[in-house]
Amino acid sequence: VKTIGVLTSGGDAPGMNAAIRAVVRTGIYYGFKMLGVRKGYNGLIAGDISEMTARNVSDIIHRGGTILQTARCKAFSTEEGMQKAMSISRAFGMDALVVIGGDGSYRGARDFSKFGMKVMGLPGTIDNDIASSDYTIGYDTAMNTVQDALDKIRDTAYSHERCSVLEVMGRKAGHIALNVGIAGGAEVILLPEKEFDFDKDIIRKIIQGRNSGKKNYIIILAEGISEKIGGALELAKKIEDLTGIETRGTVLGYIQRGGSPTIQDRVMASAMGVKAVELLKDGVFNRIISVKDSKIIDIDIDEALSMKKDIDQDLLRMSNILSI
Ligand code: F6P
């Protein structure tokens, strides 16, 4: 490998810039030519590629979003798109590619490797839904953003003696919801990974809480389950109708994707970026950088994509104890 490209793909996540910086600087440190590909796989197909220097990644470690920008690229899932991307990569002399993104981006990278590209994946998504890794870049910052919002919502729920339903992101996974629900003292946490009964698990819980002296209630709704039971506003109306308690819904939305990354996201992104390039230097490729038991490891890309991840059952059990 002489020339390494780097791109960000899928939804942006705070800490992606720290990862880009680490990849570019580590590559330059070891004597590689480094190329930045803009707008995910779209940029690969369009040739939106330019050389990156150590200075191109100055002053970005603290910034949310991704300086390379990102996209979800349909064309890349076709054979024609991949072939085009491969020809463009050859034209730029790119012989390895570091992809910072989620599962969808890894599938693209895996398929691209069949065309001869040496790929390396870094876990970048706020959802923490990558099976091979305990942790993903952006997850910690997103949780802190939700936490901050939840604390503010609790202030106003207390003042008005209201019930508040807060809908958080996470795609089909409830990792953000569960952790923030515990950290924010939610009465009810609704996750796609957990069956629930509307009357018993929501209405009865609120009424029991009221009977025991509670004056306000926080309900965390993971977006992955809102398809099944309706979004925050709809759920708020149903709760108010049945309990008589004034209820408000908030959909937190894209605020969760932005902002300056936390220390954890910056350090993990930096360490994973270094690891990705050092592996390429050692002739190792088609791997996914992951975190297992607080250690940074690498896993074969096919194996990583075949793995499944569950919600933390212990945390789930504890959340039931703590929300009485
Ligand atoms: O994967 C990150 C995420 O923010 C999910 O939590 C959410 O479901 C999705 O992306 C939203 O995607 P888009 O940016 O395409 O609207």
Side-chain angles (χ1 to χ4, degrees):
V1 172
K2 289 203 170 68
T3 304
I4 303 174
V6 57
L7 61 78
T8 45
S9 164
D12 61 348
M16 279 184 163
N17 281 329
I20 295 167
R21 172 180 178 270
V23 168
V24 169
R25 289 200 175 166
T26 309
I28 290 167
Y29 178 87
Y30 287 115
F32 294 104
K33 179 175 174 185
M34 298 305 296
L35 300 175
V37 181
R38 272 176 296 277
K39 301 180 186 164
Y41 293 119
N42 281 330
L44 210 52
I45 293 173
D48 198 351
I49 299 168
S50 53
E51 184 165 355
M52 294 192 84
T53 68
R55 292 291 72 76
N56 291 146
V57 291
S58 291
D59 298 319
I60 65 166
I61 195 162
H62 61 295
R63 279 169 55 190
T66 154
I67 57 158
L68 290 175
Q69 300 186 288
T70 184
R72 305 186 200 278
C73 176
K74 283 225 173 70
F76 199 66
S77 58
T78 66
E79 173 141 0
E80 199 191 337
M82 292 236 174
Q83 253 157 11
K84 191 152 185 229
M86 199 60 214
S87 306
I88 301 283
S89 302
R90 279 201 205 97
F92 279 83
M94 187 194 300
D95 35 30
L97 178 65
V98 178
V99 173
I100 307 165
D103 267 347
S105 312
Y106 290 174
R107 273 189 288 277
R110 191 252 329 260
D111 296 346
F112 199 36
S113 74
K114 311 275 190 267
F115 286 78
M117 181 58 72
K118 298 177 171 69
V119 297
M120 196 62 86
L122 286 192
T125 166
I126 63 163
D127 304 332
N128 200 27
D129 61 349
I130 294 180
S132 63
S133 189
D134 295 342
Y135 180 82
T136 59
I137 298 163
Y139 176 51
D140 189 56
T141 307
M143 282 196 297
N144 279 286
T145 301
V146 178
Q147 192 56 62
D148 183 53
L150 177 52
D151 290 347
K152 288 174 175 145
I153 283 172
R154 182 177 275 289
D155 288 345
T156 158
Y158 170 86
S159 304
H160 288 267
E161 296 198 354
R162 277 176 179 159
C163 173
S164 262
V165 182
L166 179 63
E167 183 176 327
V168 303
M169 281 185 167
R171 202 179 284 279
K172 291 192 168 20
H175 306 291
I176 295 178
L178 177 59
N179 282 273
V180 171
I182 290 178
E187 271 65 35
V188 178
I189 306 172
L190 299 168
L191 308 171
E193 295 88 346
K194 184 181 103 178
E195 289 291 320
F196 80 99
D197 179 290
F198 180 78
D199 298 322
K200 279 199 206 124
D201 298 327
I202 305 181
I203 300 302
R204 186 169 75 187
K205 191 107 191 247
I206 293 174
I207 292 175
Q208 277 176 343
R210 179 172 59 192
N211 294 346
S212 74
K214 283 202 183 195
K215 299 258 188 274
N216 57 83
Y217 317 82
I218 301 286
I219 299 186
I220 301 285
L221 172 66
E223 66 171 354
I225 201 175
S226 67
E227 288 163 15
K228 211 162 140 193
I229 60 168
L233 307 187
E234 214 175 305
L235 188 60
K237 173 139 187 4
K238 280 193 208 156
I239 292 171
E240 184 166 311
D241 289 347
L242 278 165
T243 63
I245 296 167
E246 253 196 320
T247 306
R248 297 287 188 266
T250 305
V251 182
L252 213 48
Y254 289 91
I255 189 171
Q256 295 163 97
R257 287 249 293 265
S260 179
T262 59
I263 289 182
Q264 187 172 11
D265 276 333
R266 295 182 200 195
V267 173
M268 295 304 281
S270 301
M272 289 199 262
V274 172
K275 173 95 177 173
V277 176
E278 288 188 334
L279 284 171
L280 286 172
K281 175 180 76 73
D282 294 341
V284 181
F285 49 86
N286 300 349
R287 311 287 289 176
I288 299 296
I289 309 297
S290 302
V291 178
K292 273 283 158 218
D293 304 323
S294 307
K295 285 204 173 62
I296 296 178
I297 57 163
D298 56 293
I299 300 178
D300 171 74
I301 195 162
D302 281 310
E303 192 190 334
L305 280 167
S306 70
M307 293 166 99
K308 297 263 172 295
K309 187 182 211 175
D310 194 14
I311 201 84
D312 187 327
Q313 292 296 331
D314 233 17
L315 273 188
L316 190 56
R317 186 182 64 76
M318 290 173 203
S319 73
N320 287 324
I321 298 175
L322 296 172
S323 60
I324 55 169

